[in-house]
Structures are given as structure tokens and as C-alpha cells.
Amino acid sequence: MQQRWIAPLAALVLLWPHPADAQAWSALEAQRQRCAETGSAAVCRAALEQSHVLKRWADNAKLWRCTTALLGAEAVMLSSSFNPGTGTTLEGSNREVRQACGR
């Protein structure tokens, strides 16, 4: 009976992008920029969800500077989303995340 949930769970794990994958980090940067530019709740929610996945990865790896940088990047993104379309760039917080997380 327990085996019924193993196959779907294994498929999900295999399909879910590995947080340490460079693609996951660049996708987060793109999502964060779209959130800041549009202020769309759905876009910002997707960016936050991706950020939470990466924070869990950083927490599990005991990369506290990375976790802190991701929290700061979330704050910058959300504050920027309150004034969408102002040409706000998140490059400073992206650079900080890359440095702290080794990306």
C-alpha cells in the first residue's frame, strides 16, 4: 500500500530542478526581475516560491550567508514590486546572492 505514493514522489523529485543547478538560480533572477517590473501577484508568488526552494537548499547545506542574501533579495524584490515599471534593477541583490551562494 505504501508503494503507491513512491512512484509519483520519485517522479516529482526527478522533475524538480536541483536548487544548486545554475538554471534554477538564473530562473530566480528572471522571475524576481519580472516581479519588480510588473508588480503581478502571481509572478511575485512564483518568484517567492522558487526563492523558498533555494532557501531550504541553503539551510540544509548550512549556507547561512546564502539564506540571508536570499531573504534580503526577497525584500528588495517585493519593495520594488510596489512601484512597477520604474526601471528598477535588482542587479545589486542578484550579485550579493551569487557571491553568498557561490553561484
Side-chain angles (χ1 to χ4, degrees), residues 21-70:
D21 186 308
Q23 208 170 20
W25 295 94
S26 60
L28 176 62
E29 288 181 8
Q31 288 175 325
R32 290 180 60 242
Q33 190 62 44
R34 280 194 304 277
C35 171
E37 290 171 354
T38 66
S40 164
V43 172
C44 294
R45 185 175 306 112
L48 285 172
E49 287 172 0
Q50 178 67 18
S51 182
H52 291 317
V53 168
L54 294 170
K55 280 191 303 189
R56 280 193 300 275
W57 169 81
D59 284 345
N60 289 336
K62 296 185 181 359
L63 298 172
W64 312 126
R65 288 186 63 226
C66 180
T67 302
T68 303
L70 285 164

Side-chain angles (χ1 to χ4, degrees), residues 68-90:
T68 303
L70 285 164
L71 285 168
E74 287 176 0
V76 169
M77 175 194 69
L78 290 174
S79 66
S80 298
S81 73
F82 294 134
N83 294 311
T86 59
T88 302
T89 179
L90 306 176

